[in-house]
Amino acid sequence: MKQVFYLLTTLLLLTACEMDESIVFDQPFVRIATATGGSSTVVLSDVKNVNTYTVYLSSRAQTESLDVNFEIVVGDGLTAGVDYEIVTTGNTLTFLPGIYTMPIRIRWLEHTVDPTKDNTLTIRLTGNSRGYTLGYPGPDHNQRQVVIEKRNS
């Protein structure tokens, strides 16, 4: 009976070891995500606050700065100064050596939106100074952009 117990315990341990394997990428990349780690989120029309969308650098230690370019694409249902304000200036983030996260901040203003229009704001990574992959490596390039939809409360 002891031998069967030891055998079953050993088999369980051997099969459980592979459950904790994580995906390791061998190429540097830059991605963007919401505060909860997603690629999309919803902001309600009665909210008045500043939200942070984080750009992450995944690479080995850097000895030189990395510039990451982004664009903000606004749907026809949102108006700057009425629905939102871009707090982050410019369209380039500079990752100094040892820095692996940089924020893009947007102030959301209280304003009802027209639900028949495109009430999205997309932050899209467009390039960088080293040719690193934008979004996760792979054909889908997940988290190359974040889409924020403003909805009525």
Side-chain angles (χ1 to χ4, degrees), residues 1-17:
M1 189 63 159
K2 271 186 171 180
Q3 291 174 342
V4 171
F5 174 76
Y6 288 125
L7 179 63
L8 289 175
T9 303
T10 302
L11 287 174
L12 181 63
L13 288 174
L14 289 175
T15 58
C17 289

Side-chain angles (χ1 to χ4, degrees), residues 1 10 25-26 33 38 44 62 68 70 78 86 88 95 100 102 106 112-113 125 127 129 131 136 139-140:
M1 189 63 159
T10 302
F25 297 104
D26 61 352
L44 297 178
Q62 302 290 304
V68 175
F70 65 93
L78 300 179
I86 307 298
T88 303
F95 288 81
Y100 295 92
M102 291 293 293
I106 298 175
T112 302
V113 295
L125 303 178
S129 59
Y136 279 110
D140 296 333

Side-chain angles (χ1 to χ4, degrees), residues 22-38:
S22 58
I23 298 173
V24 177
F25 297 104
D26 61 352
Q27 66 187 73
F29 62 94
V30 181
R31 66 182 181 91
I32 185 169
T34 66
T36 60

Side-chain angles (χ1 to χ4, degrees), residues 25 29-33 37-40 56 125 133-146:
F25 297 104
F29 62 94
V30 181
R31 66 182 181 91
I32 185 169
S39 295
S40 63
Y56 297 90
L125 303 178
T133 298
L134 299 175
Y136 279 110
D140 296 333
H141 296 283
N142 291 329
Q143 294 194 349
R144 182 178 182 167
Q145 67 181 20
V146 163

Side-chain angles (χ1 to χ4, degrees), residues 11 32 40 50 62 70 78 81 93 99 105 118 121 131 149:
L11 287 174
I32 185 169
S40 63
V50 175
Q62 302 290 304
F70 65 93
L78 300 179
L93 301 173
I99 303 297
R105 291 189 175 93
D118 179 0
L121 184 146
E149 179 182 3

Side-chain angles (χ1 to χ4, degrees), residues 70 72 74 80 84-90 104-107 121:
F70 65 93
I72 297 179
V74 182
Y84 69 94
E85 294 174 349
I86 307 298
V87 177
T88 303
T89 58
I104 296 176
R105 291 189 175 93
I106 298 175
R107 177 177 292 113
L121 184 146

Side-chain angles (χ1 to χ4, degrees), residues 38-58:
S39 295
S40 63
T41 190
V42 172
V43 173
L44 297 178
S45 62
D46 65 349
V47 172
K48 187 174 184 179
N49 63 354
V50 175
N51 289 357
T52 300
Y53 307 94
T54 305
V55 178
Y56 297 90
L57 168 61
S58 180

